[in-house]
Amino acid sequence: MFHLRVNGETRMVHEGSTLSEALDQLGYRGKQFAVAVNGTFVPRHRHESYALKGNEALEVLAPMQGG
Amino acid sequence: MTLLSTEELIRYSRHFNLDQVGVEGQERLKNGSALLIGAGGLGSPLALYLAAAGVGRLGIVDFDVVDRTNLQRQILHGSAGVGKPKLESARARLRDMNPYIDLELHPVRLTSENALDLIAAYDVVADGADNFPTRYLVNDACVLTGKPLVSGSIQGFEGQLSVFNYRGGPCYRCLFPSPPPPGSVPSCAEGGVLGILPGVIGCLQATEVLKLLLEIGEPAAGRLLLYDALSLDFNQLRMERDPQCALCGDNPIITSLVDYEDFCGSGQTDNDPVVEIQPQELVGMLDKVLLVDVREAYERLICKIEPSLHVPLHRLADHPWPESGDRTMVTYCKTGIRSADAARRLHAQGFNDVRSLAGGMMAWIDRIDPRQEKY
């Protein structure tokens, strides 16, 4: 297991997880989120190949429609 | 010589000592134009400040009428405007605010048919729409016409802001390539919004519009600003244009506007039809059915049907339901949409005879109990 900082909270995911696997473990499966790793957004099509090292800061956010 | 009249020179004089604006910048604003999508929460401060600042041609697209529930945050409109088109109160307020600008009011719904022509006529677009189909439509139309988009959105106590499609920067689809499943993200009406929040985000949008028109500072292109009113956090995340973006990428797939209701799934009807009950039918059965109000608690303070059990939609799954036996269950909400959703879910939970009140509380007041207050 390794640590991630997810929206400001410390969370654990399996060691060697890709970004997409980490999102599944964190309960974000199947939803349309934008995800930034260490302050920079990673395009959605790269989530599956994006290898996490541990201790990254993730910002997971949903779009808002209100105006 | 200047384009500005003496009246205008006096009016805008506080801009002139700013190196980044000056008389020349003010002339740029007068020659500039912006199109606002929506005259609601975000559109109100956008319109007021851009008019006051002297943006020479200000367009607003909105087909809505002022509702009493708008007044908590949509400061372009007042109590006297309730029931009238938003553009009517906008015209009166903005004319008074600044008679030296051209107002172009478009009382239409923005669609795939009219969006390109409307947007092409302006320098900058600011999005204050209240739904995903319009947000994707505006983004796509801005990319296809090459216009920068100052995007703002709000929910609860939080807001997001960015400038899309500006000088090789990302577009909205680079960040959100596809919309969230319908119903998974609340609107202001469903989720609630702090009245001041659109003021904060709308003012930031207006500032970005001015920066783009004046070509000063560093516009929010390539950055998403997140604002949290409760913690007073302003957080910025970086983003780049995605070369694989279906719209603005190197090999775009989307080359014309599409059907955005369909794209966002909001136009689709559920495959599982719901049995409805008309108010006239329900009135004679009130003592026989289990009537369930699935609205929020505050809505019951305004009007309700008695006797009814109160179980808000989001509590349906964990409510300790009594054995209903063979009793018919009837769900109701404000207009019949949430109650249809509730009826579907209760049916899936094993209740056999669940019906949804057609037209909801509003139809009940119209046809059965006009003494109660509508909202």
Side-chain angles (χ1 to χ4, degrees):
Chain A
M1 303 290 274
F2 59 47
H3 291 95
L4 295 174
R5 195 104 184 120
V6 182
N7 292 349
E9 288 182 14
T10 303
R11 304 283 298 270
M12 303 281 282
V13 298
H14 295 303
E15 199 138 350
S17 292
T18 63
L19 182 52
S20 141
E21 287 162 353
L23 290 170
D24 278 357
Q25 293 164 51
L26 294 165
Y28 295 107
R29 183 195 296 264
K31 301 196 182 141
Q32 307 291 347
F33 292 96
V35 184
V37 179
N38 294 335
T40 302
F41 283 101
V42 177
R44 207 176 278 168
H45 61 85
R46 285 183 50 211
H47 289 187
E48 278 186 23
S49 59
Y50 193 100
L52 293 170
K53 301 185 183 77
N55 292 319
E56 285 97 338
L58 265 55
E59 293 290 333
V60 183
L61 57 103
M64 298 174 180
Q65 59 182 336
Chain B
M1 268 307 283
T2 170
L3 288 169
L4 303 167
S5 64
T6 307
E7 271 303 316
E8 288 170 291
L9 287 169
I10 295 167
R11 171 178 287 259
Y12 302 127
S13 59
R14 294 298 180 273
H15 272 163
F16 298 157
N17 283 341
L18 300 174
D19 289 342
Q20 296 86 342
V21 188
V23 174
E24 193 188 327
Q26 195 65 50
E27 290 174 339
R28 256 178 195 269
L29 293 181
K30 189 178 172 73
N31 281 328
S33 60
L35 179 66
L36 313 184
I37 312 298
L42 295 171
S44 288
L46 269 163
L48 289 166
Y49 274 109
L50 293 179
V55 171
R57 196 160 57 83
L58 194 57
I60 311 178
V61 187
D62 199 303
F63 66 95
D64 211 359
V65 296
V66 180
D67 183 272
R68 276 181 291 176
T69 62
N70 297 153
L71 301 178
Q72 161 254 24
R73 65 193 182 286
Q74 302 186 12
I75 58 169
L76 196 49
H77 318 293
S79 306
V82 171
K84 296 176 190 159
K86 287 187 179 175
L87 290 188
E88 208 172 286
S89 24
R91 183 193 306 278
R93 184 76 185 89
L94 298 172
R95 267 280 143 262
D96 178 53
M97 172 71 82
N98 190 345
Y100 299 95
I101 63 165
D102 291 330
L103 278 179
E104 297 180 345
L105 305 175
H106 306 283
V108 294
R109 182 189 286 270
L110 194 73
T111 66
S112 299
E113 285 70 46
N114 62 21
L116 292 175
D117 286 342
L118 273 168
I119 284 174
Y122 294 87
D123 296 327
V124 179
V125 177
D127 188 4
D130 62 357
N131 62 84
F132 286 122
T134 305
R135 289 190 177 276
Y136 280 95
L137 166 61
V138 171
N139 177 68
D140 292 7
C142 282
V143 169
L144 294 173
T145 54
K147 303 293 180 179
L149 169 60
V150 180
S151 172
S153 56
I154 51 169
Q155 182 186 309
F157 291 91
E158 294 175 33
Q160 298 176 356
L161 170 113
S162 190
V163 171
F164 293 116
N165 194 42
Y166 180 68
R167 295 190 175 165
C171 80
Y172 187 67
R173 282 182 188 260
C174 295
L175 190 62
F176 298 112
S178 50
S184 66
V185 174
S187 65
C188 286
E190 294 157 349
V193 61
L194 184 72
I196 302 162
L197 183 71
V200 176
I201 300 296
C203 285
L204 291 171
Q205 281 182 281
T207 311
E208 292 300 304
V209 170
L210 286 192
K211 283 162 62 182
L212 294 177
L213 291 173
L214 292 167
E215 297 189 48
I216 59 170
E218 293 163 36
R223 290 181 285 168
L224 182 74
L225 175 78
L226 306 177
Y227 168 65
D228 182 340
L230 289 177
S231 61
L232 190 59
D233 276 339
F234 283 85
N235 193 5
Q236 289 189 41
L237 299 167
R238 294 177 298 276
M239 55 185 171
E240 291 181 353
R241 184 183 71 95
D242 178 4
Q244 291 191 39
C245 176
L247 179 69
C248 74
D250 295 340
N251 299 296
I253 300 161
I254 302 160
T255 53
S256 60
L257 299 178
V258 300
D259 180 336
Y260 292 88
E261 294 291 339
D262 185 49
F263 173 66
C264 294
S266 39
Q268 82 186 188
T269 50
D270 205 296
N271 295 327
D272 188 8
V274 168
V275 183
E276 289 196 324
I277 182 169
Q278 296 299 322
Q280 298 89 322
E281 197 183 340
L282 176 63
V283 75
M285 307 170 57
L286 278 177
D287 53 343
K288 300 186 192 71
V289 303
L290 175 62
L291 186 60
V292 183
D293 185 346
V294 302
R295 299 174 302 160
E296 300 301 318
Y298 79 87
E299 298 178 85
R300 276 177 77 79
L301 297 174
I302 302 170
C303 51
K304 62 184 170 187
I305 307 172
E306 288 283 41
S308 56
L309 181 67
H310 179 221
V311 185
L313 189 58
H314 63 275
R315 306 300 296 272
L316 276 186
D318 44 272
H319 184 77
W321 293 101
E323 288 295 322
S324 76
D326 293 333
R327 251 210 307 181
T328 299
M329 203 184 240
V330 176
T331 57
Y332 79 94
C333 64
K334 183 182 176 186
T335 62
I337 292 172
R338 281 174 290 173
S339 61
D341 188 15
R344 252 180 230 115
R345 294 195 212 176
L346 288 167
H347 196 260
Q349 281 182 42
F351 293 94
N352 290 324
D353 187 7
V354 190
R355 305 181 203 182
S356 166
L357 178 62
M361 193 69 221
M362 298 300 98
W364 178 266
I365 292 174
D366 282 341
R367 302 204 195 126
I368 308 295
D369 190 1
R371 285 168 309 170
Q372 293 206 58
E373 185 83 356
K374 287 166 72 169
Y375 63 106

